[in-house]
Amino acid sequence: MLAASKALPVKENIMDFDAAKQRRALQSRSYIRLAPNIVHLKTAHGQHEAAFEVEAGVATLTFYHGEPPQSAELLMAAAEAVTAEDRSIKSVAFESHQASLPRHISSTGKLDSAVLWQWPSLWLPQLSYPLPPVREMTAGRYHPRRPAKPKGTVYQRFIPWLERDISFRVADAETDLAVFHRWMNDDEVNTVWEDAGSLDKHREILEERIADPHVLPLIGSFADIPFGYFEVYWAKENRLGPFYDADDYDRGWHVAIGEPDYRGKKWISAWLPSLMHFIFLDDPRTQRIVGEPRASHEQQIRNLDRSGFAKVKHFDFPHKRALLVMLSRERFFGDHLWVPAS
């Protein structure tokens, strides 16, 4: 007979990592650099200032003004602030606070940056748990069954170099129809999308995308101001799938930046890595993100190259000659590509 084990003492303030609790605690976090090595944090735990020193890729962080709450949420928010703009920092250590971090993400006493940025509940207001790999057939394509699509906001991140949030929410056929209609009729958007037309046409497009189980249509916003339309799709069921050896959980994306004021380098530096971050967080089995820009769209290809996408091959769709590009999970998190290229 096995002897009954004694219950281990539980430290009162250690985070239990309930996902809903994390989201509530960090929902409105923000941070700014007061100096090169000092950050000011604002979370549900209050406002804190922390200093850090970086040596050999490790940032050692110390809180000012007394002891902060022994909270894993606060430590992870501080680690996010330190690593959000610096690709060279591989891990974060905390003076006297390592014990507040769960052992399964900080076994060495340091918080690895690539682990932190793959922790979904810090950025996803709602978590979808992957379905078991039950397979089905759609239009002659054999693929895993996809989960039910969410509603509302699916991703939110504070962008320190813009000092504002970016968020992505699922498009709604009524709420978003007017702005979608205006964007699709924008000359620059229509040059790429070729979907200009009537309100009824755009209602039909939105309703079709919302109903399609392989496409997630999103509205991107900066500080609650909508700026663009995005589609995230499962590559295996997409028109792109037959043109390469698509993995079951590869995903691709399309983008239309509808608001002219939000076009340009400083905005791309926020929305492009944030969208890739969302895609990788949404399903941990997704190892590759693919795209198919028009082969002649040199500026878009340069942006993708700077963001870590590899050029795989040229190929011909019925409507365009395209370049297959691909970003791996290993490269995105290993090279810290949530930080834009300098």
Side-chain angles (χ1 to χ4, degrees):
M1 180 181 295
L2 294 174
S5 61
K6 292 183 179 180
L8 294 175
V10 177
K11 189 173 180 178
E12 183 178 354
N13 291 316
I14 286 184
M15 176 64 176
D16 61 7
F17 268 70
D18 173 80
K21 182 179 177 183
Q22 288 180 73
R23 294 194 298 275
R24 287 193 299 272
L26 293 173
Q27 190 171 27
S28 59
R29 69 192 184 279
S30 61
Y31 39 88
I32 59 172
R33 290 280 179 96
L34 300 179
N37 291 87
I38 300 176
V39 293
H40 178 85
L41 295 166
K42 181 181 179 182
T43 73
H45 293 287
Q47 299 189 41
H48 299 276
E49 289 179 11
F52 62 96
E53 296 293 334
V54 181
E55 184 176 352
V58 179
T60 302
L61 190 147
T62 306
F63 287 94
Y64 284 163
H65 310 309
E67 292 293 310
Q70 292 292 312
S71 160
E73 304 108 319
L74 179 60
L75 298 188
M76 293 175 82
E80 176 190 350
V82 169
T83 58
E85 297 179 89
D86 190 337
R87 289 187 180 182
S88 71
I89 297 174
K90 305 302 181 184
S91 61
V92 180
F94 302 89
E95 288 289 343
S96 307
H97 298 294
Q98 288 94 332
S100 294
L101 291 171
R103 191 173 301 170
H104 58 288
I105 68 168
S106 181
S107 59
T108 64
K110 300 172 185 174
L111 180 55
D112 187 279
S113 299
V115 173
L116 171 75
W117 284 83
Q118 291 185 76
W119 199 262
S121 56
L122 294 173
W123 292 278
L124 306 190
Q126 48 188 313
L127 298 182
S128 59
Y129 294 91
L131 289 175
V134 176
R135 303 188 70 82
E136 58 189 20
M137 188 81 74
T138 300
R141 295 170 187 169
Y142 195 51
H143 61 86
R145 182 178 299 168
R146 305 307 183 186
K149 290 195 282 191
K151 295 181 179 179
T153 300
V154 295
Y155 179 91
Q156 185 169 332
R157 174 187 172 191
F158 181 72
I159 305 296
W161 57 92
L162 298 178
E163 295 188 11
R164 69 190 74 191
D165 283 343
I166 186 173
S167 63
F168 298 108
R169 60 174 174 79
V170 181
D172 179 271
E174 295 304 322
T175 304
D176 300 312
L177 178 58
V179 72
F180 180 77
H181 173 62
R182 178 165 58 82
W183 290 346
M184 289 296 111
N185 284 317
D186 177 270
D187 288 341
E188 190 165 327
V189 171
N190 188 51
T191 298
V192 177
W193 282 68
E194 300 178 340
D195 268 329
S198 67
L199 196 67
D200 286 340
K201 173 182 177 177
H202 294 142
R203 179 184 290 106
E204 183 177 341
I205 290 173
L206 266 184
E207 289 176 346
E208 187 274 330
R209 301 295 196 275
I210 291 168
D212 188 334
H214 102 282
V215 178
L216 184 64
L218 301 171
I219 300 294
S221 297
F222 282 113
D224 297 325
I225 299 174
F227 70 91
Y229 172 73
F230 301 82
E231 291 178 351
V232 175
Y233 59 83
W234 297 104
K236 200 147 197 179
E237 299 99 276
N238 189 262
R239 68 185 182 186
L240 178 58
F243 287 90
Y244 82 107
D245 186 16
D247 185 76
D248 281 348
Y249 299 99
D250 285 357
R251 290 182 101 166
W253 56 288
H254 299 132
V255 56
I257 304 301
E259 297 296 335
D261 289 346
Y262 290 90
R263 294 170 186 156
K265 181 179 177 179
K266 79 170 186 176
W267 304 107
I268 293 172
S269 75
W271 68 251
L272 203 160
S274 295
L275 185 68
M276 302 307 104
H277 190 210
F278 162 68
I279 293 172
F280 282 127
L281 293 183
D282 190 51
D283 192 317
R285 296 171 296 190
T286 295
Q287 299 300 311
R288 303 186 299 187
I289 297 173
V290 292
E292 29 92 337
R294 192 178 295 273
S296 59
H297 199 325
E298 295 179 0
Q299 182 60 57
Q300 185 178 15
I301 292 170
R302 279 196 297 270
N303 291 336
L304 294 172
D305 185 54
R306 287 165 58 86
S307 300
F309 281 82
K311 303 179 185 76
V312 179
K313 67 173 182 177
H314 289 91
F315 67 100
D316 292 307
F317 274 137
H319 65 295
K320 70 176 182 181
R321 182 154 179 82
L323 174 66
L324 176 65
V325 296
M326 187 176 294
L327 174 64
S328 71
R329 174 181 288 266
E330 184 176 12
R331 174 146 197 218
F332 183 83
F333 291 106
D335 288 354
H336 298 187
L337 298 185
W338 58 84
V339 182
S342 58

